[in-house]
Amino acid sequence: TVNLTLPDTSVINTTTDDSGFYQFVGLPAGTYRVSVNTATLPAGWLQTNDLPQPYEITLAAGESFEAADFGYGPFAAVSGLIFEDTNRNGALNSGEPGLPAITVWLYSDGNGNGRIGNNWNACNTGFPEKNESLRFWQHLANAGLIAGSFTGASAGGSVCANGNGVNVPTARLHGKFFWRIISMGPSSAGSNWYRQDINNAFGMGDDLGSFSPYLRPSEAWGIDSKLDDGIPKSGKVQTHTNSSHGNCADATGDGYQLTIDSIACSLEFLDML
């Protein structure tokens, strides 16, 4: 069922035909709002495109608008019970109470290694985790936790070339940059990092395999100081080493080079998941 709110705020509705088509005809000029009655959808179906609801349309006399299209699809669900195992037997028994207000995390960890695979691995073949980081953004959007609609898979065969806004969200700071997931162990980390073992972190880049600077040192320091300890090499907000971004932090990594007024820093937000 599709609802249409009229200019006088009254609501009329119609149902889709066998092909999913719907229409409202005989409308005078004015502003209308279209929305789908989700109670009439199959159970477990969620919206897959980012057309807002209610969708507002302003019509001139005699005008026809034919692009109020809403995509829906089925999604799986996971549920369970967190309980106090009073007799420590590993099973739920009669009388054992549930535990309220317990946070449960759901990871896109397809290979079960405890890490969400790096975005840049999605560019390449031979990485079993290559779509984990892309499904991550898709799942957040499908759950309504972030805005947008993401494919959850490589775009045109190369997430690096085509990912911005397609399967990873665009960063508001600069339109060409977008968010990425970073995870690596000590053996795979390089000289670009102060911390060598990163479980799951957020970062930005203009390429999924790139750590291009996007902040002035003063801007990076302001963010680091507000969210963390204000020190480039420590805490949950860090920049890269001098060998990577030589104008961002000082030689020891203990402070930002605040006298430099050019783009020199990128930040990574560690252990956020």
Side-chain angles (χ1 to χ4, degrees):
T1 300
V2 183
N3 298 328
L4 182 68
T5 303
L6 305 180
D8 64 1
T9 71
S10 62
V11 178
I12 60 175
N13 60 68
T14 188
T15 56
T16 58
D17 64 17
D18 290 343
S19 67
F21 178 75
Y22 73 92
Q23 66 175 343
F24 297 94
V25 298
L27 303 174
T31 298
Y32 298 84
R33 294 166 56 175
V34 184
S35 62
V36 176
N37 181 352
T38 56
T40 62
L41 291 167
W45 284 45
L46 300 173
Q47 187 172 347
T48 57
N49 66 345
D50 57 1
L51 200 67
Q53 293 195 52
Y55 185 61
E56 188 170 288
I57 304 165
T58 299
L59 298 175
E63 183 180 3
S64 178
F65 184 85
E66 300 176 347
D69 302 326
F70 303 95
Y72 286 86
F75 291 90
V78 177
S79 63
L81 180 68
I82 310 299
F83 65 95
E84 181 181 357
D85 189 8
T86 55
N87 60 6
R88 305 294 191 271
N89 71 344
L92 176 63
N93 301 118
S94 177
E96 291 183 329
L99 299 176
I102 303 299
T103 299
V104 180
W105 291 96
L106 180 64
Y107 286 90
S108 300
D109 184 19
N111 60 0
N113 68 350
R115 301 174 186 266
I116 298 176
N118 293 313
N119 283 145
W120 59 80
N121 284 352
C123 303
N124 307 311
T125 59
F127 290 91
E129 75 276 22
K130 65 180 180 179
N131 275 334
E132 289 179 4
S133 59
L134 305 182
R135 295 296 182 193
F136 171 83
W137 300 114
Q138 183 190 46
H139 292 170
L140 287 181
N142 289 343
L145 298 176
I146 60 173
S149 176
F150 306 103
T151 66
S154 298
S158 175
V159 63
C160 291
N162 304 309
N164 197 345
V166 176
N167 45 30
V168 291
T170 302
R172 294 183 179 181
L173 184 63
H174 298 297
K176 74 170 185 173
F177 286 88
F178 47 93
W179 286 97
R180 64 176 185 262
I181 296 294
I182 302 162
S183 63
M184 59 181 66
S187 62
S188 59
S191 59
N192 290 342
W193 306 84
Y194 285 111
R195 178 174 166 182
Q196 298 295 293
D197 189 7
I198 299 171
N199 191 28
N200 290 301
F202 291 111
M204 272 193 281
D206 58 352
D207 182 292
L208 286 174
S210 165
F211 310 110
S212 300
Y214 52 86
L215 293 169
R216 294 176 174 83
S218 59
E219 295 170 328
W221 173 81
I223 295 171
D224 195 341
S225 297
K226 189 173 184 65
L227 297 180
D228 197 39
D229 58 6
I231 300 173
K233 70 178 183 181
S234 68
K236 290 182 178 287
V237 180
Q238 296 186 18
T239 186
H240 293 84
T241 63
N242 285 342
S243 62
S244 174
H245 297 159
N247 292 326
C248 184
D250 61 25
T252 64
D254 292 316
Y256 291 90
Q257 299 197 63
L258 300 179
T259 59
I260 294 176
D261 192 35
S262 58
I263 300 297
C265 298
S266 62
L267 293 177
E268 309 302 340
F269 302 86
L270 310 181
D271 295 339
M272 296 297 184
L273 300 173

